[in-house]
Amino acid sequence: MKKIRIGIIGGTGGIGRWFDRFFQKEGFEVQVSGRSSGPDFQTLARQCPVVVVSVPIKVTCQLIEQVGPFMPKESLLMDLTSLKEEPVKAMLNASRSEIIGLHPLFGPKIKSMAGHNIVLCPARTQKWLPWIKNIFLKNRARLIETTPRHHDELMALVQGLNHLNTITLGLTLGRSGFDLEELKEVATPNLKTKLDILKDIFGPNSRLYAEIITQNPYLPKVVKEYGESLSEMKKWIDRKDSETLQKRIEGTNLFSQ
Ligand SMILES: NC(=O)c1ccc[n+]([C@@H]2O[C@H](COP(=O)([O-])OP(=O)(O)OC[C@H]3O[C@@H](n4cnc5c(N)ncnc54)[C@H](OP(=O)(O)O)[C@@H]3O)[C@@H](O)[C@H]2O)c1
């Protein structure tokens, strides 16, 4: 099994490049392609028994539609997309091959996957599922198997709400009129951590975060609830009513459910 050739479409980008290095370290032969480098996508699909799609969320399904028909029945098509419902559906429709949706819950800055979570959505698979699980388990990743729908529902909170909250912080800091350098001078450890995250979001990875937030079908409900929480808070802040806010915080029993 060791000499299996793995093709990564989008292997010139952030997480694709990370998996290129990872699979090479595992002893596999890896071929990568981007829009203007490497073999064209169809050639890659024909030459590699395992193909991983790792392109921006908004172009993932249309790319799968182009590549899927070239994957033989006994091959494996996977994706690394941060959302799973639409890409997995697209892979099942476009290809006869085995299909496994993956979502590594980490970014390309980490050194190893040890201790980090990877979601697997096995959609049509027999021989390849134990193969990929063994590779990840050997590298001490934490694996979670679930359906694409449940994944996206969870990600509406894990990533959608979380990033929405951080972006709202950044937009509000931007609106405040204060110089960020002056804020940094008086930052708490907590704000320093958040500013580091903001640097990534308001820097090179803005597209990824914007797509994670806008493309998850389960996020509008969460945003509605977020707006309700904000309105509640505003009411208590306007009234300087710390007692009611404190009771509301305690009454949620967030950590004793
Ligand atoms: N970055 C993360 O932390 C992370 C973590 C987990 C999952 N993901 C998922 O992984 C996927 C890739 O994310 P990323 O952050 O690695 O993105 P990225 O750094 O922007 O890389 C995107 C890759 O896709 C290629 N690409 C861009 N536009 C394309 C198009 N229209 N058609 C075909 N290929 C195109 C790029 O190739 P060229 O620029 O060379 O043409 C590049 O190789 C996304 O679905 C994301 O949700 C990302």
Side-chain angles (χ1 to χ4, degrees), residues 221-256:
K221 178 176 173 286
V222 175
V223 172
K224 185 173 165 286
E225 288 158 359
Y226 186 87
E228 286 163 7
S229 301
L230 209 54
S231 302
E232 264 187 305
M233 299 269 283
K234 182 176 179 335
K235 204 171 59 192
W236 294 315
I237 291 166
D238 288 345
R239 291 182 198 156
K240 300 189 189 307
D241 184 357
S242 64
E243 291 81 8
T244 312
L245 175 55
Q246 185 182 345
K247 273 190 205 134
R248 180 76 175 89
I249 294 169
E250 289 165 0
T252 57
N253 292 320
L254 192 61
F255 291 95
S256 52

Side-chain angles (χ1 to χ4, degrees), residues 8 11 15-25 30-32:
I8 305 179
I15 201 76
R17 211 164 33 206
W18 193 93
F19 274 89
D20 173 18
R21 285 194 300 269
F22 171 77
F23 284 125
Q24 286 199 46
K25 259 193 243 154
V30 185
Q31 263 193 309
V32 301

Side-chain angles (χ1 to χ4, degrees), residues 9-16 33-37 41 54-57 59-60 63 80-83 103-104 106-108 205 207-208 212:
I9 300 176
T12 53
I15 201 76
S33 66
R35 278 165 300 185
S36 52
S37 57
F41 306 144
S54 179
V55 298
I57 296 174
V59 297
T60 294
L63 193 130
L80 301 179
T81 322
S82 303
L83 295 171
H103 184 195
F106 54 81
N205 281 318
R207 176 178 184 166
L208 174 66
I212 285 175

Side-chain angles (χ1 to χ4, degrees), residues 11 17 44 132 168 179 184 227 229 249:
R17 211 164 33 206
L44 198 83
I132 192 70
T168 306
D179 182 356
K184 276 187 196 162
S229 301
I249 294 169

Side-chain angles (χ1 to χ4, degrees), residues 5-11 29-34 37-54 63 67 70-72 75-77:
R5 188 186 291 161
I6 300 174
I8 305 179
I9 300 176
E29 189 185 332
V30 185
Q31 263 193 309
V32 301
S33 66
S37 57
D40 67 72
F41 306 144
Q42 283 88 355
T43 308
L44 198 83
R46 279 204 206 90
Q47 289 177 349
C48 301
V50 175
V51 169
V52 184
V53 175
S54 179
L63 193 130
V67 172
F70 296 89
M71 299 285 300
S75 61
L76 171 65
L77 179 58

Side-chain angles (χ1 to χ4, degrees), residues 47-205:
Q47 289 177 349
C48 301
V50 175
V51 169
V52 184
V53 175
S54 179
V55 298
I57 296 174
K58 268 193 143 171
V59 297
T60 294
C61 289
Q62 76 196 53
L63 193 130
I64 288 169
E65 282 161 23
Q66 291 167 31
V67 172
F70 296 89
M71 299 285 300
K73 197 164 183 276
E74 60 282 2
S75 61
L76 171 65
L77 179 58
M78 302 191 285
D79 74 309
L80 301 179
T81 322
S82 303
L83 295 171
K84 294 271 62 82
E85 213 169 353
E86 290 307 317
V88 169
K89 210 186 289 171
M91 290 193 289
L92 284 170
N93 288 338
S95 169
R96 298 172 305 135
S97 66
E98 292 198 19
I99 304 291
I100 302 171
L102 296 176
H103 184 195
L105 291 166
F106 54 81
K109 284 185 187 153
I110 66 150
K111 281 208 168 74
S112 116
M113 62 171 64
H116 291 285
N117 298 331
I118 301 179
V119 176
L120 291 101
C121 298
R124 182 170 63 218
T125 176
Q126 285 184 335
K127 68 166 182 169
W128 288 108
L129 184 61
W131 173 78
I132 192 70
K133 279 171 74 170
N134 284 341
I135 295 169
F136 291 159
L137 288 173
K138 198 181 96 192
N139 285 277
R140 292 183 289 124
R142 284 192 70 250
L143 304 186
I144 304 103
E145 272 182 57
T146 188
T147 61
R149 181 190 171 125
H150 191 53
H151 166 276
D152 288 2
E153 286 171 341
L154 292 173
M155 285 309 132
L157 295 167
V158 172
Q159 296 204 294
L161 173 62
N162 187 11
H163 298 326
L164 166 84
N165 195 36
T166 312
I167 293 170
T168 306
L169 171 71
L171 294 176
T172 312
L173 286 176
R175 272 206 175 93
S176 73
F178 276 92
D179 182 356
L180 204 55
E181 291 308 313
E182 192 186 345
L183 292 177
K184 276 187 196 162
E185 290 294 319
V186 291
T188 57
N190 185 299
L191 184 66
K192 282 180 191 163
T193 306
K194 287 186 176 156
L195 287 176
D196 282 343
I197 300 170
L198 281 174
K199 215 172 185 175
D200 192 47
I201 300 181
F202 283 69
N205 281 318

